[in-house]
Amino acid sequence: MTKLLAFAEIKDGDIRNVSFETIAAARQIDEGAEVVAVVFGNKNVEEAANQMIQYGADRAVTVTHDNLENYTSDGYTQAAMAVIEQENPDGMVMGHTSAGKDLSPRIASKLDSGLVSDITAIDGEDFVRPIYSGKAFEKKSIKDGKKFITIRPNNIAPLDQDESRSGDVASLDVEIKDIRTIIKEVVRKASDGVDLSEANIIVAGGRGVKSEEGFEPLHELADVLGAAVGASRGACDAGYCDYSLQIGQTGKVVTPDLYIACGISGAIQHLAGMSNSKVIVAINKDPEANIFNVADYGIVGDLFDVVPKLTEELKAIQVK
Amino acid sequence: MNIYVLMKKTFDTEEKIQINGGVIEEDGAEFIINPYDEYAIEEAIKLRDEHDGEVTVVTVGDEESEKQLRTALAMGADKAVLINTEDDLEEGDQYTTVRILEAYFEDKDVDIILAGNVAIDEASGQVGPRLADKLDMPYVTTITELNIDGDTVNITRDVEGDEEKIETSLPLLVTCQQGLNEPRYPSLPGIMKAKKKPLEELEIDDLDLDEDDVEAKTETVEVFLPPEKEAGKVLEGETDEQVKELVSLLKTEAKVL
Ligand SMILES: Cc1cc2nc3c(=O)[nH]c(=O)nc-3n(C[C@H](O)[C@H](O)[C@H](O)COP(=O)(O)OP(=O)(O)OC[C@H]3O[C@@H](n4cnc5c(N)ncnc54)[C@H](O)[C@@H]3O)c2cc1C
Ligand SMILES: Cc1cc2nc3c(=O)[nH]c(=O)nc-3n(C[C@H](O)[C@H](O)[C@H](O)COP(=O)(O)OP(=O)(O)OC[C@H]3O[C@@H](n4cnc5c(N)ncnc54)[C@H](O)[C@@H]3O)c2cc1C
């Protein structure tokens, strides 16, 4: 039987949704495979391991160590290699997140294996990924060695949670030592709890928002929609919001059901981070703005006029 | 200080992408230095100016890559190395590229290697970490600040918008993120000087590699364009009407509310 590892990622004590998506991806690679969840951390890893099982993993292997509190390449590599040595899997799935991007190439290198990164769909033996800033796609296959992939969050739907599902959770003892890159401090910028890469609806503002206060109407719209607020690089560089809100090639890559771009021109580097969204709405006063070329619905107008009215209209229908 | 930069020439993704015979049409396309590698080149030049030493820019590419290497030299790099695979290899992937780079670096005395965080065309972000592993060097990805004091290196790393302050030591590999610096434009005297700077050209044979050593682990099965999107609906009328119509479309047509 094929055996595939599914990596859980824990951030600020919470398991990220993409972890559950790795299990679904493993099942798409081989429905009959044994899927083994892998969970690392400095505490409470069993809880995450059990959640992984409820989302479809058959069993879980955990490594608990003080040096696994924060992600470091050296620490996680030691833990991952110990698990791989014990399990000798046929493949691995990780999220294409900051940690996944940093770790997966190193593990692939250690195993002299191929790695297909940033996958948005699985088609039999082939892996589909966006290339050229999302303007094209390619299908890749792995010729030999382990099937090792990273998946873009919010593209491969997780399986339904089954709280009655149980499985073995085994802890593996690994000495995690000689970390060569020491984290002295973590400066948290990400504002409220919503993880942009997991959000179903995003309201994003650009330089057209004009000031920090200008984001207020966007927050109000986001509140009625239960949405997360994001931004373009332009808005971040201008100091209207924090860089943790940035969407695009250098920021977060998002795939929500609905993306509402307000005062964003639609530069290629921004599109690279959001053009895969299912439905795109553009609000921009310039009818020639490039964002209208990717939008499903567009309103040409002043966002300070349109956005509050949109919020009111949504409130009105919610009351009904 | 021995400073190396990994540079890839990339297709300018601002351009229209077309597919011809199953591959991206490159004829007539504009090629540029991968933007994230420009940050790497700029940072390398700054490091050299501060700590002395030499900046060598290395690329695995073809004859055409000389243009981007000359640009890097014109910005201020000291030497360039082109590992030209045109005559020897038909196919390759990240494994291939890194296997070649590993062989190149085998006998080099390296203090720091700067790479881009991602190449905007194939965009896997694998090359930096894979190479660091092969060279058994620590690495830090997506850096936005770099300070070297003796053997101690202090780095700010971008982690999805959060910042990590990291301490590490040389030798080291880093991958550069936007925000690290503002890359300079080549100056006219820089461009003149670049013509005389050394540009070494190697083939895989010079690195004691043959085709089998670098055989790709992955294969491209198909390249395709996303389904042509129907032109979006630009709504008309007064703002109030537009907003009402939008909400109704989002509910009934797009079904996302
Ligand atoms: C290597 C590299 C990486 C990059 N990475 C990213 C990235 O990850 N993410 C990203 O976003 N950018 C990125 N960029 C920057 C990108 O090229 C653009 O500069 C940026 O996206 C522009 O932001 P903007 O659309 O908010 O601003 P602008 O381009 O200035 O657009 C502002 C828009 O607002 C509209 N507007 C103004 N006032 C109003 C109003 N009252 N009502 C409605 N509309 C209004 C204008 O018509 C205009 O279209 C990157 C650039 C480089 C070189
Ligand atoms: C003969 C040959 C044919 C190839 N054909 C294909 C193909 O058809 N499809 C395909 O996907 N790939 C192919 N490759 C590999 C491709 O050219 C890239 O080198 C490799 O894909 C790098 O991966 P990336 O673009 O994802 O870069 P990333 O890993 O995203 O790049 C990150 C950073 O690594 C460094 N880097 C990346 N590539 C190079 C390089 N070539 N030289 C120096 N530094 C580099 C840069 O600093 C870059 O910013 C081929 C390679 C060879 C040798």
Side-chain angles (χ1 to χ4, degrees):
Chain A
M1 185 164 57
T2 313
K3 188 197 282 185
L4 298 169
L5 301 186
F7 272 81
E9 197 180 322
I10 297 174
K11 200 180 173 196
D12 303 335
D14 289 324
I15 187 161
R16 299 181 78 171
N17 273 348
V18 69
S19 313
F20 306 136
E21 296 166 5
T22 64
I23 301 164
R27 292 258 178 260
Q28 284 184 29
I29 293 173
D30 183 349
E31 215 189 320
E34 181 186 24
V35 179
V36 182
V38 179
V39 191
F40 302 152
N42 64 331
K43 55 175 192 248
N44 299 339
V45 289
E46 287 75 21
E47 197 184 311
N50 283 319
Q51 270 180 292
M52 289 292 277
I53 290 167
Q54 291 177 1
Y55 275 94
D58 295 301
R59 58 187 176 86
V61 179
T62 65
V63 181
T64 306
H65 196 285
D66 281 345
N67 287 341
L68 296 175
E69 178 179 0
N70 285 311
Y71 171 82
T72 58
S73 161
D74 285 341
Y76 271 57
T77 298
Q78 290 168 36
M81 288 311 291
V83 174
I84 289 165
E85 202 159 295
Q86 171 180 288
E87 297 290 337
N88 190 24
D90 301 291
M92 275 158 284
V93 187
M94 299 187 75
H96 198 66
T97 58
S98 179
K101 285 183 225 177
D102 192 272
L103 181 64
S104 59
R106 178 151 178 211
I107 306 290
S109 167
K110 288 221 173 301
L111 302 171
D112 273 338
S113 135
L115 165 64
V116 186
S117 305
D118 198 18
I119 283 163
T120 53
I122 297 171
D123 182 4
E125 293 273 284
D126 300 334
F127 304 111
V128 179
R129 58 189 300 271
I131 52 175
Y132 292 73
S133 304
K135 284 189 173 173
F137 287 81
E138 67 178 359
K139 253 187 207 173
K140 293 216 101 171
S141 69
I142 296 178
K143 288 201 288 190
D144 67 342
K146 299 191 191 297
K147 296 239 182 294
F148 197 174
I149 61 169
T150 64
I151 56 169
R152 181 178 288 198
N154 235 356
N155 280 269
I156 294 171
L159 306 171
D160 290 334
Q161 184 177 18
D162 173 0
E163 287 183 22
S164 67
R165 202 180 148 88
S166 63
D168 182 53
V169 178
S171 145
L172 182 66
D173 260 332
V174 187
E175 185 59 42
I176 308 290
K177 53 176 203 267
D178 304 331
I179 310 277
R180 295 171 297 180
T181 56
I182 312 292
I183 302 176
K184 292 283 177 187
E185 192 190 344
V186 183
V187 188
R188 300 255 177 240
K189 296 282 180 75
S191 42
D192 46 16
V194 199
D195 187 336
L196 271 172
S197 57
E198 294 177 359
N200 289 324
I201 304 182
I202 293 173
V203 178
R207 211 188 297 270
V209 166
K210 293 195 176 69
S211 67
E212 203 178 330
E213 298 74 49
F215 261 94
E216 236 351 271
L218 274 60
H219 279 285
E220 284 164 19
L221 174 59
D223 284 345
V224 273
L225 286 168
V229 172
S232 70
R233 179 86 187 181
C236 301
D237 278 343
Y240 307 159
C241 64
D242 193 81
Y243 282 103
S244 61
L245 299 190
Q246 186 188 330
I247 290 166
Q249 200 170 64
T250 15
K252 297 212 167 74
V253 175
V254 300
T255 315
D257 293 334
L258 173 60
Y259 190 90
I260 306 180
C262 312
I264 293 177
S265 61
I268 181 67
Q269 299 90 351
H270 188 77
L271 301 189
M274 48 64 74
S275 61
N276 235 22
S277 303
K278 279 152 211 131
V279 176
I280 298 169
V281 173
I283 301 168
N284 195 303
K285 66 178 185 189
D286 174 9
E288 300 298 322
N290 190 44
I291 190 79
F292 287 117
N293 292 327
V294 298
D296 299 278
Y297 306 109
I299 294 185
V300 178
D302 184 341
L303 73 93
F304 295 106
D305 177 30
V306 177
V307 172
K309 285 187 172 142
L310 185 55
T311 308
E312 287 316 311
E313 178 66 18
L314 286 162
K315 272 190 191 156
I317 61 160
Q318 277 180 0
V319 173
K320 275 191 223 153
Chain B
M1 192 177 278
N2 292 325
I3 306 161
Y4 287 87
V5 178
L6 306 182
M7 188 206 79
K8 186 184 184 189
K9 110 178 161 260
T10 61
F11 199 103
D12 186 352
T13 58
E14 306 254 3
E15 299 217 352
K16 192 168 168 58
I17 309 279
Q18 278 169 315
I19 290 176
N20 197 345
V23 294
I24 304 270
E25 175 66 82
E26 295 195 343
D27 274 356
E30 186 73 33
F31 282 88
I32 54 173
I33 296 178
N34 179 42
Y36 298 91
D37 303 353
E38 288 184 349
Y39 302 125
I41 296 164
E42 175 66 30
E43 199 65 16
I45 294 168
K46 282 186 171 165
L47 284 177
R48 181 208 51 208
D49 291 348
E50 195 184 330
H51 301 277
D52 290 335
E54 209 171 57
V55 175
T56 307
V57 181
V58 184
T59 196
V60 178
D62 54 28
E63 207 59 57
E64 306 285 309
S65 312
E66 183 173 338
K67 185 166 168 238
Q68 287 73 29
L69 286 174
R70 290 284 172 207
T71 305
L73 292 171
M75 285 171 75
D78 301 293
K79 288 166 142 180
V81 177
L82 167 60
I83 306 170
N84 188 341
T85 60
E86 221 169 355
D87 295 337
D88 300 311
L89 302 176
E90 292 257 310
E91 286 171 345
D93 69 357
Q94 288 79 8
Y95 175 84
T96 311
T97 303
V98 171
R99 193 70 192 77
I100 295 168
L101 289 170
E102 178 194 2
Y104 170 79
F105 280 107
E106 213 149 51
D107 61 353
K108 303 289 179 294
D109 186 14
V110 175
D111 290 300
I112 187 164
I113 301 176
L114 299 104
N117 121 57
V118 71
I120 60 171
D121 47 5
E122 294 292 334
S124 75
Q126 293 182 22
V127 169
R130 271 185 181 266
L131 180 63
D133 179 68
K134 288 293 178 214
L135 302 177
D136 199 18
M137 257 184 208
Y139 64 88
V140 183
T141 51
T142 55
I143 70 161
T144 55
E145 213 181 318
L146 175 67
N147 287 298
I148 301 181
D149 184 6
D151 265 348
T152 308
V153 184
N154 283 293
I155 289 175
T156 304
R157 171 169 185 249
D158 169 40
V159 185
E160 300 181 18
D162 288 340
E163 281 180 357
E164 277 177 5
K165 306 283 182 191
I166 290 175
E167 190 181 302
T168 183
S169 58
L170 299 177
L172 176 72
L173 184 147
V174 293
T175 77
C176 302
Q177 168 69 314
Q178 190 183 27
L180 179 64
N181 54 42
E182 282 297 328
R184 69 193 69 189
Y185 289 102
S187 65
L188 201 54
I191 295 169
M192 299 310 290
K193 268 196 231 158
K195 292 185 180 146
K196 297 200 197 77
K197 287 184 181 172
L199 190 151
E200 183 184 11
E201 197 172 322
L202 300 171
E203 296 192 351
I204 59 168
D205 188 38
D206 301 312
L207 301 169
D208 289 330
L209 292 172
D210 62 35
E211 212 177 328
D212 293 342
D213 296 325
V214 300
E215 196 189 330
K217 302 282 179 186
T218 61
E219 199 167 35
T220 306
V221 181
E222 193 189 341
V223 178
F224 58 99
L225 298 179
E228 190 99 28
K229 220 172 166 164
E230 275 177 50
K233 237 181 237 176
V234 175
L235 308 177
E236 312 219 326
E238 294 295 314
T239 313
D240 291 317
E241 293 162 30
Q242 290 181 330
V243 162
K244 276 205 168 62
E245 190 184 351
L246 175 63
V247 171
S248 145
L249 286 167
L250 291 177
K251 280 185 77 150
T252 54
E253 189 178 86
K255 299 193 170 59
V256 286
L257 291 184

